[in-house]
Amino acid sequence: MTIRNCMNCVLVSERRGVRILKENGYNAIHSARNPCSKALLEACDEQGMLERKRRKNKMGNRKEQNGQIGRKKHRGLIIALVIVLALAVIAGVNFRLLRTLYYNNVDPQKDLTGYEQWQGGTTYAHVPYAELSENQYLNLYIPDTESPAPLFVLVHGGGFILNDLESRQAMLMIHYFRDHGYACATINYRLAQEAPFPAALEDVKAAVRFLKVHGDVYGYTADRVPIWGESAGGYLAVMASVTGDDEFMSVPFIGQEEQPDFVSAKVDAVIDYYGVMEFQSKADRQADFAKNGIPGFVYEIANGWLSAPLKGTGYESCEDYWLRTDVGTLSQEELQVYLPSYYISKNLSAAQTPEFMIYHGLVDITVPPQQSARLYELLCKTVGEEHVTYETCPQCGGELIS
């Protein structure tokens, strides 16, 4: 007899039966109105024993299952802990790499939307400064000022193989300086795909000379000429400043024949943003980055944007492509004629030098910061530290002015 089969008794489920009996007492159930109450009680006692046994077995099985789950969780926790400890060890050994990757991925980007609708002056677009190539032109941004604005020259970067005069970094500088009273001239030059070294350098020097004699035409003053460049543009800006008027001057500027006197390409100040100051072999470049905690594979991944233009050229680096030679095979004597260091030592002195301002982000993963540090040391030795300003940005990478 089961509880559910007793029609005259309180219908009590297997689990509820014992509880109800305990709550109501034996007499509440064993009464004249419930002739089957005694049988019910006996059945409940028997059923209760079975229930308790079943629960005991269930609890035992649950404990065993929980133990298995616990052991699995424990093993998983140990594995996770081992992974975390391994990452911690890696982070401890190469904390600078993690820091570099972090800052190169969270660097805030200034929004340039709306800057093309400039209402503060006059824009002259695609002004040719030479006639050897359709890419020899510049843009001028002349602010509305009471007197002619001072000239500020800008040279874009891009590894000698990418970008143009409207590159993001150049436009950031233009927007700032034109709004602060400077006449900004941004130079376009021939890239490596069109012409190898020294074409881009000769273009920049021709553009500087053109700008010097056309101030009255466009409404700026070129009494003093500062030049700014970033990355490859930093190289071109520095080289244009440290080479002589008898070096890399084969490109005539438009209007040159009309000038009564020789027009020099010399400038008065150089602002170098993380410029490429050395054409390094792959091993030398990786050695510099290794000192910063950056493995070679990280450099290759981070600079994959430079690989596409090199496909089919037969060259592994943009410097090789621009020079049309493998830098790693050159002797020091052969290499030096391409480098600013050679011309700084050859042409500059404390009495004859432009002012230098060098800026470099310490988490740069394209141009090793050591290149700017070595440039600073050489300039201090050659022209004196009073003519050189050198600043670094610990959390800045290749977009120092983003």
Side-chain angles (χ1 to χ4, degrees), residues 215-230:
D216 293 340
V217 176
Y218 296 102
Y220 60 84
T221 176
D223 295 337
R224 289 180 58 82
V225 179
I227 187 170
W228 169 90
E230 55 100 12

Side-chain angles (χ1 to χ4, degrees), residues 177-221:
F177 280 94
R178 75 183 183 186
D179 291 340
H180 286 76
Y182 287 85
C184 295
T186 177
I187 300 172
N188 208 67
Y189 52 83
R190 289 171 289 171
L191 299 176
Q193 293 89 325
E194 180 178 359
F197 176 93
L201 173 57
E202 292 184 325
D203 287 353
V204 170
K205 296 186 76 169
V208 169
R209 300 170 74 201
F210 171 88
L211 288 165
K212 281 189 172 185
V213 300
H214 285 84
D216 293 340
V217 176
Y218 296 102
Y220 60 84
T221 176

Side-chain angles (χ1 to χ4, degrees), residues 14-317:
E14 293 181 359
R15 294 187 178 181
R16 294 175 59 197
V18 175
R19 178 178 59 80
I20 291 176
L21 288 173
K22 287 181 179 180
E23 289 177 354
N24 296 282
Y26 171 77
N27 292 329
I29 297 179
H30 185 64
S31 65
R33 296 178 60 185
N34 293 317
C36 296
S37 58
K38 185 175 181 180
L40 173 63
L41 180 60
E42 291 174 353
C44 285
D45 287 342
E46 181 182 356
Q47 194 70 23
M49 291 178 64
L50 293 174
E51 176 71 10
R52 287 192 295 272
K53 185 176 181 180
R54 187 181 66 81
R55 289 182 179 179
K56 185 176 181 180
N57 292 335
K58 187 176 181 180
M59 289 178 66
N61 293 335
R62 185 175 295 172
K63 287 181 179 179
E64 183 178 354
Q65 291 174 356
N66 289 340
Q68 293 175 353
I69 294 172
R71 285 191 293 273
K72 290 181 180 179
K73 288 183 177 179
H74 184 63
R75 286 196 296 270
L77 183 61
I78 291 175
I79 293 172
L81 183 60
V82 169
I83 294 173
V84 170
L85 288 174
L87 291 174
V89 170
I90 294 172
V93 172
N94 202 353
F95 173 76
R96 286 179 296 177
L97 172 60
L98 300 182
R99 182 174 178 274
T100 296
L101 295 177
Y102 172 78
Y103 280 119
N104 275 275
N105 283 279
V106 302
D107 191 22
Q109 299 291 305
K110 184 177 178 61
D111 185 11
L112 290 176
T113 304
Y115 274 104
E116 61 275 9
Q117 287 86 33
W118 183 46
Q119 303 297 324
T122 304
T123 299
Y124 298 93
H126 285 225
V127 178
Y129 59 81
E131 297 178 319
L132 298 181
S133 167
E134 63 180 9
N135 291 310
Q136 293 172 319
Y137 61 88
L138 54 84
N139 285 358
L140 277 166
Y141 303 87
I142 313 298
D144 293 330
T145 54
E146 294 182 0
S147 58
L151 178 65
F152 186 61
V153 182
L154 302 102
V155 188
H156 72 82
F160 308 104
I161 57 176
L162 290 170
N163 289 338
D164 60 17
L165 79 177
E166 292 184 341
S167 71
R168 174 180 173 81
Q169 296 293 74
M171 294 309 296
L172 284 166
M173 294 293 284
I174 289 167
H175 295 155
Y176 178 85
F177 280 94
R178 75 183 183 186
D179 291 340
H180 286 76
Y182 287 85
C184 295
T186 177
I187 300 172
N188 208 67
Y189 52 83
R190 289 171 289 171
L191 299 176
Q193 293 89 325
E194 180 178 359
F197 176 93
L201 173 57
E202 292 184 325
D203 287 353
V204 170
K205 296 186 76 169
V208 169
R209 300 170 74 201
F210 171 88
L211 288 165
K212 281 189 172 185
V213 300
H214 285 84
D216 293 340
V217 176
Y218 296 102
Y220 60 84
T221 176
D223 295 337
R224 289 180 58 82
V225 179
I227 187 170
W228 169 90
E230 55 100 12
S231 195
Y235 167 89
L236 294 172
V238 171
M239 282 288 281
S241 308
V242 302
T243 54
D245 280 333
D246 57 345
E247 297 166 318
F248 309 114
M249 296 277 281
S250 66
V251 174
F253 65 90
I254 292 176
Q256 179 172 325
E257 299 82 2
E258 303 167 7
Q259 303 305 313
D261 300 314
F262 175 78
V263 180
S264 172
K266 292 185 181 299
V267 299
D268 299 281
V270 189
I271 303 95
D272 166 33
Y273 270 35
Y274 45 89
V276 182
M277 295 296 113
E278 303 167 12
F279 296 149
Q280 297 175 300
S281 65
K282 185 175 182 179
D284 289 341
R285 182 172 55 247
Q286 289 185 348
D288 265 349
F289 279 122
K291 295 174 184 176
N292 304 335
I294 302 173
F297 76 91
V298 173
Y299 169 84
E300 297 296 337
I301 294 173
N303 294 280
W305 58 280
L306 289 171
S307 61
L310 294 174
K311 288 183 179 180
T313 65
Y315 296 98
E316 293 187 357
S317 73

